[in-house]
Amino acid sequence: MAPCAETPSVSGTSLWRHRDFRRYLTGQAASVAGSSITQMALPVLAVLHLDATTAQVAWLAFLGQLPPALLALHAGALADRHSKRRQMITGDLVSAAALATVPVSAALGTLTLAQLMIVAVVQGAASVLHDAAAISLLPSLVERSLIQRGNSRVGALFAVAATAGSHLGAALTALLGPARALLGDVASCLISAVCTARIQTAEPARSRPGTRRLRAEIGEGLRYVRGDDRLWTLTLVNATTSFALGLLNTLWALYLLRSLAMSATAFGVVLGLGALGAAAGALTAPVLARRYGPGPMMLAALAITPLTQLPLLLASPGRAWQITIGVALFLQLACAGAAGTTQRSIRQIITTSGMQARMQAVSTWLTSGARPAAALLAGGLGTWIGVRPTLTAGTFSLLVPFIVLARSPLRALRQMPDPPAAAPSPLTVRTASAPAVPRPARADDPHDRSPGGDVP
């Protein structure tokens, strides 16, 4: 396909000249954009065409979020045991097949809400398999000194791709209907699979005996993360941030649209500003980390984030407040992009190659498990004490990840850490039809399919 077209690879450290990195980036950006199309079209299809009730829509959303919480650890262990690229391609193809059944059934007049829920679960499980391998593949594509720069570009492009996918999903839904709009995500899965298949960099050798039980490897990954104070601290920062944002995001749109009477157009502009902020934060993360140190930079970002919620809590209806909220969201997601890119890079740098996927999976498991719990709590608190007090509680909960990092030695980290002493030091990356590209020392690491790191 055209997005994966080859261009000559030239020696040097420019990631844009690294063909495998470009293939990886193109495939993952297509995947993120396609996921945004589905997130846009699926609820519309359920509500407008299948007359789903509020409870059924909630179940559809819940079932879509369930696979990461249940399968992330298993997917990470499988990615460390087998080929990551093969697992990514399998996930893409399963997602494409599941999503393709929706427009086919709609055309035949046999589409039901039960089928939609099954598709949401299957597609969610396939995405978990894909993402667990995709996040951990990057350190084998570029040298560790380039990981932070690579993650910076990944985070920025993912923010833009997610927003573009949402707008494309809205356009396809209007032009083709929500069922056929899902064909956009089917196409994105196929583009991702093709780009992944064309990556030629060899993955690190896996010396683990294939007879070991998967449960033992999952336990090994949990102990590995828990046994490293740096990994455990950053994982807790991710999980607590995810929980706090879950409290806020559950009621955020309702509060803006209903309590502050924000129009749909203004709401879309605010979301667009947020996406720009996430991209800006991810792109500037390497520069900020070099200038101020990754520890102080992440600590400052976590300190600023609760302050960006104040305009939301103080706002009243009106254009001036809408602009203020948009600027605050830009700043909030810029902080999230910078901190998320940096913390993921640190975790990838200090983790040995054989534990990359399981290390990421532990973080995904905890952050994914925090979101449904936070959503349920937000719903209960919103009904009991009101929307604005619940948003206030969510704002205060954003102080928890700041405290976790502030109590850790990582707060004073002045430069990116060194890779593990036992880590191999590959000298080159080779492709079949191009000269070798040098791979320097090592630095830091979206994803998953969200901008700025593990926490969207």
Side-chain angles (χ1 to χ4, degrees), residues 84-178:
K84 293 178 174 59
R85 290 193 297 125
R86 188 176 299 123
Q87 182 166 318
M88 291 167 63
I89 294 169
T90 300
D92 283 328
L93 295 180
V94 171
S95 287
L99 290 167
T101 65
V102 176
V104 171
S105 296
L108 297 175
T110 59
L111 182 64
T112 64
L113 195 61
Q115 178 183 343
L116 217 57
M117 291 183 176
I118 293 172
V119 168
V121 172
V122 173
Q123 197 265 343
S127 295
V128 172
L129 282 174
H130 174 280
D131 293 346
I135 297 173
S136 56
L137 180 65
L138 182 62
S140 67
L141 295 181
V142 301
E143 187 62 32
R144 305 238 172 174
S145 62
L146 296 176
I147 290 181
Q148 186 178 22
R149 220 189 306 169
N151 280 324
S152 170
R153 285 150 178 76
V154 169
L157 187 59
F158 278 18
V160 174
T163 303
S166 296
H167 292 309
L168 179 59
L172 291 175
T173 298
L175 292 173
L176 306 176

Side-chain angles (χ1 to χ4, degrees), residues 3 13 33 52 72 111 150 183 187 236 238 252 264 282 293 319 369 396 410 412 454:
T13 59
L111 182 64
L183 291 173
L236 288 180
N238 274 343
W252 187 73
R319 180 65 56 84
F396 277 106
L410 282 174
D454 295 321

Side-chain angles (χ1 to χ4, degrees), residues 236-261:
L236 288 180
V237 168
N238 274 343
T240 52
T241 302
S242 181
F243 184 85
L245 292 179
L247 279 176
L248 291 164
N249 292 343
T250 300
L251 302 176
W252 187 73
L254 176 68
Y255 181 68
L256 290 182
L257 295 172
R258 183 172 297 172
S259 301
L260 299 185

Side-chain angles (χ1 to χ4, degrees), residues 224-313:
Y224 183 86
V225 172
R226 186 64 184 90
D228 188 305
D229 288 340
R230 298 168 297 177
L231 289 176
W232 184 239
T233 296
L234 293 176
T235 300
L236 288 180
V237 168
N238 274 343
T240 52
T241 302
S242 181
F243 184 85
L245 292 179
L247 279 176
L248 291 164
N249 292 343
T250 300
L251 302 176
W252 187 73
L254 176 68
Y255 181 68
L256 290 182
L257 295 172
R258 183 172 297 172
S259 301
L260 299 185
M262 185 177 289
S263 68
T265 300
F267 185 67
V269 171
V270 168
L271 291 180
L273 285 173
L276 290 176
L283 286 174
T284 57
V287 176
L288 294 174
R290 283 195 300 269
R291 181 166 183 176
Y292 301 106
M297 185 270 278
M298 289 190 296
L299 195 64
L302 292 174
I304 293 171
T305 299
L307 300 179
T308 63
Q309 295 297 313
L310 294 180
L312 184 70
L313 301 177

Side-chain angles (χ1 to χ4, degrees), residues 1 30-31 33-42 45 92 95-107 111 115-116 119 123 165 168-192:
M1 290 191 179
S31 182
S35 295
S36 295
I37 293 175
T38 295
Q39 290 168 9
M40 173 72 193
L42 213 58
L45 180 60
D92 283 328
S95 287
L99 290 167
T101 65
V102 176
V104 171
S105 296
L111 182 64
Q115 178 183 343
L116 217 57
V119 168
Q123 197 265 343
L168 179 59
L172 291 175
T173 298
L175 292 173
L176 306 176
R180 282 181 287 184
L182 294 178
L183 291 173
D185 197 3
V186 172
S188 79
C189 291
L190 297 178
I191 292 173
S192 175

